[in-house]
Amino acid sequence: MINKDFFAALEELEKEKKIDRQVFLESLEAGLVSAYKKETGEQRPIEVRLNDNTHAIKVYALRTVVEDVYDAEKEISIEEAKEYKQSYKVGDTFYEDITPKNFSRIAAQTAKQVIMQRLNDANKERVMSEMNEKSDEILQAIVRRIDGDTVYVEMVGSQLEGVMLPNDQVKGERYKLGDMIKVYIKNIKSTAKGAQVMVSRSAAGLVKRLFEMEVPEISSGLVIVKNIVRDAGYRTKMAVASEMDRVDPVGACIGQKGVRINAIINELGGEKVDIVAWSEDIGTYISKAMSPAEVRYVRLDEENKSARVVVPDEKLSLAIGKGGQNVRLAAKLTGWKIDVKPLSEVREEVNAQMEFSGEDEGIDE
């Protein structure tokens, strides 16, 4: 039943499926045990051994060597065992060769089913392991199916299914069957149907990875991404720094004549991207985080971790952003609550206080 052609086939499967040869042999042994028991009704412990060198197969019934036998199916006396081999002692496992001349077609089919299940499990584990290593990475994917608001993609090179839920999609992006898109690997789930990859186009991690791919200074560690926040489809803010004075972290991300950042903006479909120079001085950091708005000054309330940001009147709408987007992202980037005020309002407050106190100098332009 088992011959050198079978073992040669195992070698081919090992190369093709990239599953260890020993896994195939263990799967076959388990399949043959199941097949033998189903065919014969055997209840005793059974072990099947495959010899990779001689291409032979052996089926053994296992019994424990004992002084007194209470269960003949599972035990054998020391006296009887020594008739086969003098070295047996109490507690040893006695192997009785019960190898049949051949298995029936039903037994072979049973073995095949068990083997394929074991191989599928091993393949699933291998793919899961490979994909786990790609978590937080960007991969190419092909749109294969759209079910309601959920987009299903095939990961290029793995044939794994990726699932992009509505909250992982970018507002305004339209996905069509056959589209080739870049997706961010969020995590991998194991389901009854196999490994399922949860992917995203809206995650801030997607933009970070794009910068790592586009900016050598980031991939080499010369420029460090301190934080990144995103309102997918509209704006991203990324804070960067460098421990080397000669390296301009913002300039490195923008590139000569904006070539680097423009490549990323194009990939994001025109989404605005603000590159912010991170600073240990929180006032300076908040001021830069409000980009593209001009900030006159920042007043900090460290106890409540909040800041009042004063901007020129004509820059107020820019500072706040559409629907409060700019100030909201700046707050998320810095971790501080931010209250934006126009210069005229602050001036009136200061002047009123000075008038109340008898001072005659107000706040200047």
Side-chain angles (χ1 to χ4, degrees), residues 195-209:
Q196 192 175 64
V197 186
M198 307 308 293
V199 302
S200 177
R201 285 277 301 166
S202 66
L206 174 78
V207 183
K208 181 182 178 183
R209 288 300 185 191

Side-chain angles (χ1 to χ4, degrees), residues 118-323:
R118 287 293 186 92
L119 297 182
N120 287 337
D121 290 344
N123 189 58
K124 184 194 298 184
E125 290 176 7
R126 178 184 62 80
V127 173
M128 284 283 288
S129 177
E130 288 181 0
M131 290 307 299
N132 275 319
E133 292 177 1
K134 296 183 184 297
S135 184
D136 297 326
E137 296 292 338
I138 292 177
L139 292 182
Q140 292 278 5
I142 303 171
V143 177
R144 291 300 190 198
R145 180 163 57 97
I146 300 175
D147 186 0
D149 293 331
T150 302
V151 177
Y152 295 86
V153 300
E154 177 186 320
M155 314 308 297
V156 174
S158 71
Q159 296 185 330
L160 275 179
E161 181 181 71
V163 181
M164 186 160 60
L165 299 174
N167 63 333
D168 284 309
Q169 299 167 29
V170 178
K171 293 177 182 178
E173 283 191 349
R174 295 290 179 264
Y175 309 104
K176 302 188 297 294
L177 297 181
D179 280 355
M180 180 78 75
I181 58 176
K182 288 179 179 177
V183 295
Y184 176 74
I185 310 301
K186 292 177 63 179
N187 55 66
I188 295 88
K189 294 181 178 179
S190 180
T191 70
K193 295 182 179 180
Q196 192 175 64
V197 186
M198 307 308 293
V199 302
S200 177
R201 285 277 301 166
S202 66
L206 174 78
V207 183
K208 181 182 178 183
R209 288 300 185 191
L210 288 173
F211 271 101
E212 289 175 353
M213 294 163 62
E214 191 69 33
V215 181
E217 289 86 347
I218 293 181
S219 57
S220 68
L222 287 175
V223 172
I224 302 166
V225 177
K226 288 289 191 177
N227 196 12
I228 182 168
V229 294
R230 186 184 184 199
D231 188 349
Y234 300 102
R235 186 180 293 274
T236 290
K237 287 183 182 288
M238 185 172 76
V240 294
S242 177
E243 295 179 355
M244 302 185 69
D245 293 337
R246 64 180 179 82
V247 177
D248 174 11
V250 175
C253 293
I254 293 173
Q256 190 172 13
K257 296 183 179 180
V259 64
R260 291 175 176 176
I261 195 169
N262 285 337
I264 293 170
I265 289 173
N266 289 337
E267 175 63 34
L268 299 175
E271 181 176 318
K272 294 180 176 63
V273 180
D274 299 330
I275 308 298
V276 176
W278 179 85
S279 174
E280 290 185 351
D281 181 85
I282 189 61
T284 301
Y285 185 28
I286 290 173
S287 178
K288 292 181 180 297
M290 292 297 298
S291 173
E294 174 193 343
V295 174
R296 283 299 182 88
Y297 67 87
V298 177
R299 179 174 295 172
L300 302 176
D301 179 352
E302 296 189 7
E303 183 178 348
N304 296 306
K305 207 175 182 180
S306 64
R308 170 179 277 199
V309 174
V310 179
V311 299
D313 289 35
E314 66 275 13
K315 300 295 183 181
L316 180 62
S317 60
L318 183 64
I320 294 173
K322 187 176 181 180

Side-chain angles (χ1 to χ4, degrees), residues 47-117:
E47 184 175 303
V48 175
R49 292 182 181 178
L50 289 166
N51 191 311
D52 201 357
N53 296 319
T54 64
H55 306 152
I57 177 174
K58 291 288 185 182
V59 182
Y60 296 97
L62 310 183
R63 287 189 285 175
T64 303
V65 179
V66 296
E67 289 282 2
D68 300 308
V69 177
Y70 294 97
D71 186 344
E73 283 196 350
K74 297 180 180 179
E75 299 171 337
I76 185 173
S77 68
I78 184 65
E79 292 81 7
E80 187 179 351
K82 283 183 176 291
E83 291 179 8
Y84 289 89
K85 191 167 62 176
Q86 283 294 319
S87 60
Y88 274 119
K89 57 183 181 296
V90 173
D92 285 349
T93 299
F94 178 84
Y95 291 85
E96 179 185 352
D97 189 342
I98 55 172
T99 306
K101 290 183 178 180
N102 53 58
F103 283 135
S104 70
R105 180 182 59 82
I106 295 177
Q109 183 64 29
T110 302
K112 178 182 177 182
Q113 292 172 354
V114 176
I115 291 167
M116 291 308 297
Q117 182 59 49

